[in-house]
Amino acid sequence: SPFVAVMQKAKVWGADHFINFIGFIAVLSAGNSSMYASSRTMMALCKKGNGPAMLGKVNANGIPVVPLLISATFGLVTIMTLVFKVEAVFEWLVNLVGNLIGIDWTIISIAHIYFRRAYLAQGKKLEDLPYLSPIGIIGDYVAIVFNVTILIFAGLTGYIQGSPFVLKDFLANYVYVISFLILYGMGIFFYGYKTNEPVEVDLDSGNFMIHEKDYEEENAKPETAYSRIIQVIA
């Protein structure tokens, strides 16, 4: 880290170790949040029938153990590629995860455009939404253009600068495209492809605003000193 190098040059006692400690906590926090998000997303998708049913189950404490172990396994594999100096695999994994986030945000933007279209088609008012984008769907179109541009040119930078074409490097740069097409194709194969007219889109199922009372009653738990401490820390 350049910050550690600066502290070492400045000869500030213990500052370099403090910076390393802060970096370690930041990485640990990012890894923890990623594990939480990935395991819960996997569980939610599988509960809706978009994956194996066993991955949608939780234990007595409400923890999706199997999705959590799968997420942890991918993290372990990534770390092991560095330990055993398998740089090629690490590069593929980094490109896969990093660029799939761009695809995720592109899909989110498209979903928001279609959501607004369906919401208005069903006679609802945008003012009734708990949050209304200040620039409407313009931001979605801007995000789509930026994301697609970045995804296309992210792997072409070296070739634009005159680097020779190497198939291995090209596949490593665009492994996310291959993965996305495979997963998308599998989804169509197993679940088919269908579209709904805006007036037919189900906007009520799973709507927290509609089912808020039922959700609170279903998830109500007796408050304890331990739960209050956890709420304060969270």
Side-chain angles (χ1 to χ4, degrees):
S1 170
F3 298 104
V4 174
V6 168
M7 293 301 175
Q8 289 175 339
K9 288 287 185 181
K11 296 182 179 180
V12 180
W13 183 85
D16 53 343
H17 298 297
F18 179 73
I19 295 295
N20 279 328
F21 175 74
I22 295 298
F24 172 76
I25 294 298
V27 171
L28 188 64
S29 175
N32 182 58
S33 61
S34 296
M35 290 272 289
Y36 182 92
S38 60
S39 60
R40 269 60 180 187
T41 300
M42 193 185 308
M43 178 196 70
L45 289 171
C46 292
K47 285 185 70 173
K48 292 182 178 180
N50 295 320
M54 64 173 295
L55 299 183
K57 298 179 180 179
V58 297
N59 64 8
N61 296 317
I63 300 173
V65 177
V66 178
L68 191 61
L69 290 176
I70 294 175
S71 301
T73 300
F74 274 93
L76 178 62
V77 170
T78 304
I79 296 299
M80 296 306 290
T81 60
L82 293 176
V83 173
F84 293 104
K85 301 186 183 302
V86 190
E87 288 85 358
V89 177
F90 181 76
E91 182 182 0
W92 280 57
L93 290 173
V94 169
N95 288 333
L96 178 63
V97 174
N99 290 303
L100 280 178
I101 292 176
I103 293 179
D104 287 343
W105 279 107
T106 301
I107 294 174
I108 290 171
S109 299
I110 294 173
H112 183 239
I113 293 172
Y114 279 90
F115 165 77
R116 290 273 291 254
R117 185 180 302 175
Y119 198 80
L120 293 173
Q122 296 180 20
K124 302 178 186 293
K125 296 180 180 180
L126 294 177
E127 293 77 15
D128 296 334
L129 291 171
Y131 174 78
L132 186 63
S133 174
I135 57 176
I137 60 175
I138 296 176
D140 296 314
Y141 285 109
V142 172
I144 291 170
V145 171
F146 272 107
N147 278 321
V148 172
T149 302
I150 292 171
L151 291 171
I152 292 175
F153 287 97
L156 296 178
T157 306
Y159 305 124
I160 294 174
Q161 295 174 350
S163 300
F165 177 82
V166 180
L167 180 60
K168 181 184 68 173
D169 296 337
F170 180 82
L171 292 176
N173 289 331
Y174 290 100
V175 62
Y176 64 92
V177 176
I178 301 171
S179 302
F180 173 74
L181 292 177
I182 291 175
L183 293 174
Y184 189 71
M186 289 175 61
I188 293 176
F189 177 79
F190 286 108
Y191 302 105
Y193 179 83
K194 62 179 181 179
T195 58
N196 296 98
E197 294 296 326
V199 294
E200 299 174 345
V201 176
D202 181 9
L203 299 176
D204 296 331
S205 296
N207 189 325
F208 181 77
M209 293 181 63
I210 297 176
H211 305 288
E212 182 176 4
K213 185 177 180 180
D214 296 335
Y215 178 85
E216 291 178 349
E217 292 178 354
E218 181 181 345
N219 293 272
K221 293 181 179 179
E223 191 172 289
T224 62
Y226 174 76
S227 65
R228 288 195 294 268
I229 293 173
I230 295 297
Q231 289 176 3
V232 171
I233 295 175

